[in-house]
Amino acid sequence: MLFQTFAFKNGQTAKNRFFKSAMEEQLAKHNRPTEQLVRLYDTWAKGGAGVLVTGNVMVADNGKGSINDVVLTDDRSMDTLKAWAKAGRQNDTLLIMQINHAGKQSPKVLSPTPVAPSAVALQGMDGFINPPRELAAGEIEELVGRFIETARLAEQAGFSGVQIHGAHGYLISQFLSPHHNRRNDKWGGSLENRMRFLVEIYQGIRAAVGSEFLVGLKLNSADFQKGGFDENDSIRVVQKMSELGIDFIEISGGNYESPEMLTAKESTKKTGSLFLGLCGKSACRQPSAADYYGRFPF
């Protein structure tokens, strides 16, 4: 089974079922890609995985989660991006760029006043992350455009697709959570409104790139905190994104306040798969739902 090919609905085919999920490389220099990233993905592509997903590539300067994140907002680093894509796609490998904005999960050394859907401070982060300010409606629209532009640049560079990071308490995850998103405009309140930011990002990317370019999502199964994004919310988001035609969904969970993505329970130790049980309960069992990869937490 692991060595069988996997056909995505847009026609792209992974040569096997080995899927390297995102890991934070921290190899950028001045937030631009480097030769070190090229060499790393050259090594990984030669390792034989069918799909490689990069670590965070941030869509805006104010969205960094770590000091050495790649930030991709223009084509100044296109030559290095192309070399990165070429290295990661050798050996018939699909290379997916994970695109993200940290929102309020941005350390104070990077963001003195981070941004978020609502001005709700993270608990237990005093001294590391400052309280956020609420995004204006116009800023939200601008950030939608930032995600779209980063995806367009990834396609131009030769990547196989992008993965929208909607998990782990970053900005999209914050919009999805009723605890972190307390807005009373079209971006908050009902789940339909809370997922609007994600939906508009996805639809904008899909309209801006070619049909063979993969567009996927990393999504929390739950935030694992009182009043947050829960399993029922997650299933409804999966159903919506599947209806819209998303190519794949990777399931994870937790955030900085409740880091379940780093917790290995007894069931995980037995299966080697974080959140696999939650995936089994969800819409991934329905024929219309997107395909899941649930094995990797980062």
Side-chain angles (χ1 to χ4, degrees), residues 62-138:
N62 71 346
K64 291 181 285 188
S66 300
I67 193 167
N68 289 320
D69 284 339
V70 174
V71 179
L72 180 55
T73 58
D74 55 45
D75 63 1
R76 284 179 295 172
S77 299
M78 188 53 64
D79 287 346
T80 309
L81 285 167
K82 287 181 176 180
W84 185 7
K86 182 178 180 181
R89 290 191 68 175
Q90 64 182 311
N91 199 21
D92 295 323
T93 308
L94 296 177
L95 179 62
I96 308 295
M97 179 186 289
Q98 185 183 78
I99 58 176
N100 193 14
H101 188 296
K104 64 183 170 185
Q105 289 188 167
S106 184
K108 69 178 184 179
V109 296
L110 301 175
S111 301
T113 306
V115 297
S118 302
V120 179
L122 292 170
Q123 299 301 306
M125 301 291 164
D126 297 345
F128 177 56
I129 295 177
N130 286 338
R133 68 168 178 84
E134 181 173 298
L135 285 160

Side-chain angles (χ1 to χ4, degrees), residues 6-14 19 50-51 89 94-97 151 154-155 159-164 202 205-206 209-217 245-248 293:
F6 180 88
F8 292 91
K9 61 177 63 179
N10 74 341
Q12 287 273 28
T13 300
F19 179 98
V51 181
R89 290 191 68 175
L94 296 177
L95 179 62
I96 308 295
M97 179 186 289
E155 182 184 40
F159 285 76
S160 308
V162 292
Q163 182 189 58
I164 303 165
Y202 169 71
I205 291 173
R206 191 74 276 170
V209 299
S211 61
E212 292 187 358
F213 190 73
L214 291 163
V215 184
L217 171 66
I246 195 111
D247 291 310
F248 65 93
Y293 293 90

Side-chain angles (χ1 to χ4, degrees), residues 10 49 53 72 129 169 186 197 227 229 244 255 289 292:
N10 74 341
V53 183
L72 180 55
I129 295 177
K186 71 176 186 177
F197 185 56
F229 185 75
L244 292 174
N255 54 35
Y292 280 75

Side-chain angles (χ1 to χ4, degrees), residues 163-184:
Q163 182 189 58
I164 303 165
H165 200 333
H168 299 175
Y170 295 118
L171 185 61
I172 293 173
S173 178
Q174 292 162 30
F175 268 93
L176 290 170
S177 166
H179 171 71
H180 295 286
N181 182 354
R182 304 182 187 182
R183 304 179 70 94
N184 56 15

Side-chain angles (χ1 to χ4, degrees), residues 247-265:
D247 291 310
F248 65 93
I249 296 177
E250 179 185 359
I251 287 295
S252 193
N255 54 35
Y256 281 17
E257 293 176 312
S258 181
E260 293 290 319
M261 64 280 196
L262 303 176
T263 304
K265 298 180 176 63

Side-chain angles (χ1 to χ4, degrees), residues 242-286:
S242 180
E243 290 167 5
L244 292 174
I246 195 111
D247 291 310
F248 65 93
I249 296 177
E250 179 185 359
I251 287 295
S252 193
N255 54 35
Y256 281 17
E257 293 176 312
S258 181
E260 293 290 319
M261 64 280 196
L262 303 176
T263 304
K265 298 180 176 63
E266 286 304 314
S267 59
T268 300
K269 293 175 183 177
K270 291 178 182 178
T271 65
S273 303
L274 285 163
F275 312 111
L276 186 62
L278 289 164
C279 179
K281 297 178 186 177
S282 72
C284 66
R285 291 191 177 275
Q286 298 179 8

